[in-house]
Amino acid sequence: MQFKQTTILGLFDSSQKHFIIPVYQRAYSWDNKNLPIFLSDLKEQIQGENGYFYGNILLETIKKDIEYEIIDGQQRLTTIVIFMRSILDVLSERDLSDSPDFDILQKKTIYLKNGGNVKLRTVDYDRACFETLIIDGHNKFQLSSPSQNRINDAKKYFKKELGTVSTGDLLKIIDLLETTEITSIELNSKADSALMFELQNNRGKDLTNMEKLKSYFMYQMYINSPADETQNNVEYIADIFKSIYLVINDITSLDEDSVLIYHCNAYIKGFPYRTIEDIKEVYLKSKNRILWMREFVKELCISFDNIKKMEKSNLKYLNDLRRLTIPRFAYPFIIKGYKFFEGDSTRLNSLYHILEIVTFRYKLVSSRADFLSRINEILLSFNGDLLNLKEHFRNKFNETWYWGDEKVKEVLNGYMYQNPTIHYILGKYENHIQNKGYVVEGVEIESVNIEHISPQTPPDNKKIAHGYETNSRNRYNEDFENEYINCLGNLLLISETHNKSIGNKPFKEKIMSYNQNPLFNQQAEIKKFVRDEAEPLWDKDAIDNRHLAIVDNFALDKWNFNNVVIK
């Protein structure tokens, strides 16, 4: 182990020396929260007289004085290289005749590439992007991952901000950065690197939980392995995390720590899982710690891979879950489902169907009752038996009442306007009636509103238009206003422009507009609930009949667990 006090210039300034970010490390993660802080620090420092310190970096020596893997510090060193490319690009467009000693080409050979020697090589899957945009300085690349977007965004951000800085200050910033002190710690093996990384970073502020877990496991392998197995065991952890980070870069809907949480919900403590301290607690109780760690990281890698598979899936009920917005409690069930079903799309779709009903009921009822504690037992006992899972949810919901059949019916029969599921319910009802013979041309609608067929009470004491159930003063009775205006039978999907055009118009005009512009079949079917087409009246009977069609004849069956087919 060697500690070297050097500068940024001293770290990079060698014709053969280069740094590699191993693929088991995170890809580039700095974004618009980190970049302004980095730049503002530099701007502030050139106004002062004190030196600047950039902290420690941890390197594994692959070939002395030539090749090093970055164990800790990859985000900072990557940012320095992106920053140098950006500032040199800006300076290349400036008049530098007053600074004859400043050589842009020389700086590029120090920080970017010296002949064929690329000074910083990122993780494999971002290398082509990084070398195209940063090392070679091109402005276009087909970006295909979040980290590649962040590399591109960082370069654009620095060039834009530095473009407003005077040439004199840009040269001062380069001088400041090059003379910035840094301590490089050079280690000779991954085992030594694991030990130092854990000692240095187990309380670090900026590490993700995944990074902390990786360093903890590598350190534990170091101290628990027999001497002749240490290197192999540490490298096993590194290789598994290499595979995980390859997958992470392809996952777009969840961050790495969220997947870690859902995996631990599934396999560690259920929903009471909170932090990696819970993982450590279970690990420290294991009889064979080496085997436990190997099995845990292997299963964790499988979970990440299955989340990637889920993102690419278009199974019917998964898409319905997406429309509802997949809640966090669903992911541990999904992770377990992929493990048990191994790509069986029929059983996976049945699992998604169960979760769609659970999610719908959860969002429909919007209870303050502790949902997770009530379903934790269901999660922990789920072993791939879908019939048992379905019955477990049905029984638990009906026992606790909050999300049971009677409560669902009560909510559907009550005030539904502004309920978080209202668009979803009426959208599914639309699909239901289309399958029963109401056919219109498919139309893409930019914005969909919820229309009150009997209009809401107009402001400023304006009278309600003709054709609705009102009293002699053209006002709604109290029971009509409380029980009918915002019930499902009186609510309709409609385009935003159509909704604005009809407002408080007489019902005869409104139903005519429904028939003339039937973007949704539910608009066209309104006439079937009205008794007299010549003088149509939208009254309690009409609303009750439509409410019955939506709730009793559709919704109560649609979101009933009996509706799940399990083969």
Side-chain angles (χ1 to χ4, degrees):
M1 183 184 301
Q2 287 186 312
F3 289 78
K4 289 186 177 180
Q5 291 294 131
T6 185
T7 61
I8 296 294
L9 177 60
L11 185 70
F12 279 89
D13 192 12
S14 168
S15 61
Q16 296 186 66
K17 193 175 185 181
H18 59 268
F19 304 96
I20 299 172
I21 300 173
V23 76
Y24 64 81
Q25 300 283 25
R26 283 179 87 197
Y28 189 61
S29 63
W30 278 26
D31 55 22
N32 55 13
K33 296 178 183 177
N34 311 99
L35 301 174
I37 297 173
F38 173 85
L39 184 56
S40 65
D41 283 349
L42 290 174
K43 287 180 177 179
E44 288 177 9
Q45 288 294 324
I46 65 171
Q47 307 301 324
E49 298 179 357
N50 295 324
Y52 191 40
F53 180 66
Y54 207 51
N56 303 328
I57 62 165
L58 191 59
L59 305 172
E60 181 184 341
T61 305
I62 306 301
K63 191 173 183 180
K64 185 69 175 175
D65 295 327
I66 295 178
E67 185 172 319
Y68 296 88
E69 284 193 352
I70 306 172
I71 306 304
D72 183 38
Q74 71 268 29
Q75 303 295 333
R76 287 170 290 155
L77 290 185
T78 304
T79 301
I80 287 174
V81 174
I82 296 173
F83 183 81
M84 280 299 186
R85 161 55 68 188
S86 304
I87 199 169
L88 293 175
D89 281 356
V90 172
L91 283 170
S92 67
E93 299 175 358
R94 302 282 181 91
D95 180 5
L96 299 179
S97 57
D98 292 337
S99 306
D101 295 334
F102 186 82
D103 188 337
I104 290 180
L105 290 179
Q106 181 191 48
K107 298 301 181 188
K108 289 181 179 179
T109 63
I110 293 172
Y111 298 102
L112 301 174
K113 183 164 67 172
N114 190 327
N117 180 35
V118 175
K119 304 308 288 286
L120 176 68
R121 297 175 186 172
T122 63
V123 290
D124 290 346
Y125 45 85
D126 284 341
R127 195 162 291 172
C129 168
F130 189 79
E131 293 189 7
T132 300
L133 296 177
I134 307 304
I135 302 302
D136 296 333
H138 298 299
N139 291 321
K140 290 184 179 180
F141 184 84
Q142 186 63 46
L143 305 172
S144 60
S145 70
S147 52
Q148 290 179 14
N149 278 292
R150 285 190 285 266
I151 290 167
N152 187 49
D153 291 345
K155 179 184 174 183
K156 287 182 177 179
Y157 171 80
F158 284 139
K159 289 185 71 170
K160 178 182 177 183
E161 295 298 318
L162 293 170
T164 65
V165 179
S166 69
T167 300
D169 281 347
L170 291 180
L171 295 174
K172 287 181 183 178
I173 288 174
I174 289 180
D175 183 62
L176 170 69
L177 196 54
E178 289 190 326
T179 57
T180 291
E181 294 184 358
I182 192 167
T183 301
S184 70
I185 306 168
E186 297 179 15
L187 303 155
N188 295 319
S189 69
K190 282 185 173 57
D192 291 339
S193 301
L195 173 62
M196 180 56 70
F197 187 81
E198 171 66 10
L199 294 176
Q200 178 170 299
N201 284 304
N202 62 353
R203 289 179 176 82
K205 292 181 179 178
D206 297 324
L207 297 178
T208 65
N209 284 325
M210 279 286 290
E211 288 174 311
K212 292 177 184 177
L213 185 64
K214 177 189 70 179
S215 71
Y216 178 75
F217 279 163
M218 291 176 76
Y219 172 65
Q220 289 296 315
M221 282 296 195
Y222 180 91
I223 64 174
N224 284 290
S225 297
D228 60 341
E229 297 178 14
T230 300
Q231 186 71 12
N232 181 61
N233 283 337
V234 171
E235 288 184 357
Y236 178 83
I237 298 294
D239 287 342
I240 291 292
F241 274 90
K242 168 184 174 179
S243 299
I244 289 174
Y245 279 113
L246 282 169
V247 174
I248 285 173
N249 219 39
D250 294 329
I251 294 174
T252 58
S253 62
L254 297 171
D255 61 48
E256 63 199 68
D257 281 353
S258 294
V259 179
L260 175 61
I261 287 172
Y262 301 143
H263 175 83
C264 292
N265 289 150
Y267 300 119
I268 294 295
K269 285 188 173 181
F271 293 115
Y273 170 84
R274 290 293 177 266
T275 69
I276 61 173
E277 296 304 315
D278 293 327
I279 301 174
K280 294 178 183 179
E281 178 187 334
V282 177
Y283 156 71
L284 292 172
K285 292 178 182 178
S286 63
K287 293 180 180 180
N288 186 329
R289 294 182 177 181
I290 301 297
L291 180 61
W292 192 95
M293 283 187 285
R294 291 173 74 96
E295 287 297 313
F296 181 89
V297 296
K298 182 181 75 173
E299 291 296 326
L300 180 62
C301 185
I302 291 171
S303 289
F304 271 94
D305 192 53
N306 286 334
I307 290 294
K308 177 181 173 180
K309 290 176 183 175
M310 182 206 73
E311 285 195 338
K312 294 182 176 181
S313 173
N314 279 306
L315 290 173
K316 178 182 185 300
Y317 287 105
L318 173 58
N319 285 330
D320 286 345
L321 260 181
R322 288 170 176 149
R323 293 185 187 98
L324 281 166
T325 306
I326 304 176
R328 65 187 183 94
F329 66 74
Y331 285 104
F333 288 98
I334 294 170
I335 284 172
K336 277 192 164 187
Y338 269 92
K339 177 181 178 179
F340 296 133
F341 305 147
E342 297 181 350
D344 184 330
S345 59
T346 299
R347 288 196 289 172
L348 280 171
N349 201 42
S350 295
L351 172 62
Y352 289 132
H353 192 180
I354 294 170
L355 293 174
E356 185 259 353
I357 293 174
V358 171
T359 301
F360 172 77
R361 289 177 174 228
Y362 170 74
K363 291 178 179 286
L364 172 76
V365 175
S366 299
S367 171
R368 293 184 180 180
D370 186 353
F371 185 79
L372 294 183
S373 68
R374 287 172 168 82
I375 67 168
N376 194 52
E377 176 194 350
I378 303 175
L379 173 63
L380 294 175
S381 65
F382 177 45
N383 62 0
D385 185 334
L386 289 171
L387 186 59
N388 184 63
L389 180 70
K390 179 178 76 169
E391 293 305 314
H392 209 160
F393 270 119
R394 185 216 307 275
N395 294 336
K396 178 62 69 174
F397 281 4
N398 285 320
E399 284 171 13
T400 56
W401 178 76
Y402 294 104
W403 306 279
D405 296 342
E406 289 303 314
K407 183 61 177 178
V408 167
K409 184 174 182 179
E410 176 188 312
V411 175
L412 288 172
N413 281 327
Y415 186 108
M416 279 298 295
Y417 183 59
Q418 296 179 327
N419 186 284
T421 63
I422 183 63
H423 281 82
Y424 186 69
I425 292 171
L426 291 177
K428 287 299 177 183
Y429 178 66
E430 180 69 23
N431 292 342
H432 173 69
I433 60 176
Q434 283 185 8
N435 292 334
K436 292 206 170 186
Y438 294 88
V439 179
V440 292
E441 294 295 326
V443 179
E444 185 175 334
I445 303 171
E446 288 186 5
S447 184
V448 177
N449 284 180
I450 299 297
E451 148 83 344
H452 286 78
I453 304 172
S454 268
Q456 292 175 295
T457 304
D460 304 323
N461 291 319
K462 290 181 180 177
K463 293 183 177 180
I464 298 166
H466 181 70
Y468 308 103
E469 184 164 315
T470 58
N471 56 29
S472 58
R473 294 177 296 126
N474 283 102
R475 295 285 182 268
Y476 294 132
N477 291 327
E478 184 177 349
D479 68 323
F480 187 88
E481 190 157 14
N482 292 338
E483 297 178 22
Y484 283 83
I485 292 296
N486 294 295
C487 77
L488 269 172
N490 192 50
L491 302 176
L492 183 74
L493 278 186
I494 196 169
S495 72
E496 183 177 28
T497 53
H498 191 177
N499 193 22
K500 288 179 179 178
S501 71
I502 54 179
N504 186 32
K505 286 190 174 181
F507 181 60
K508 189 171 185 177
E509 293 181 31
K510 186 175 283 192
I511 196 172
M512 189 180 300
S513 77
Y514 292 161
N515 293 329
Q516 290 173 344
N517 301 285
L519 296 182
F520 293 103
N521 290 353
Q522 57 197 265
Q523 293 172 214
E525 76 160 1
I526 291 298
K527 61 186 178 185
K528 87 174 193 179
F529 300 109
V530 179
R531 288 190 297 271
D532 185 352
E533 289 192 29
E535 291 296 328
L537 176 66
W538 191 250
D539 57 5
K540 288 181 180 178
D541 287 342
I543 296 173
D544 281 336
N545 288 333
R546 183 167 182 267
H547 188 86
L548 182 71
I550 296 174
V551 177
D552 292 64
N553 298 341
F554 166 66
L556 292 177
D557 176 65
K558 168 71 177 171
W559 289 289
N560 190 303
F561 287 106
N562 287 333
N563 200 26
V564 180
V565 177
I566 297 174
K567 296 182 180 179

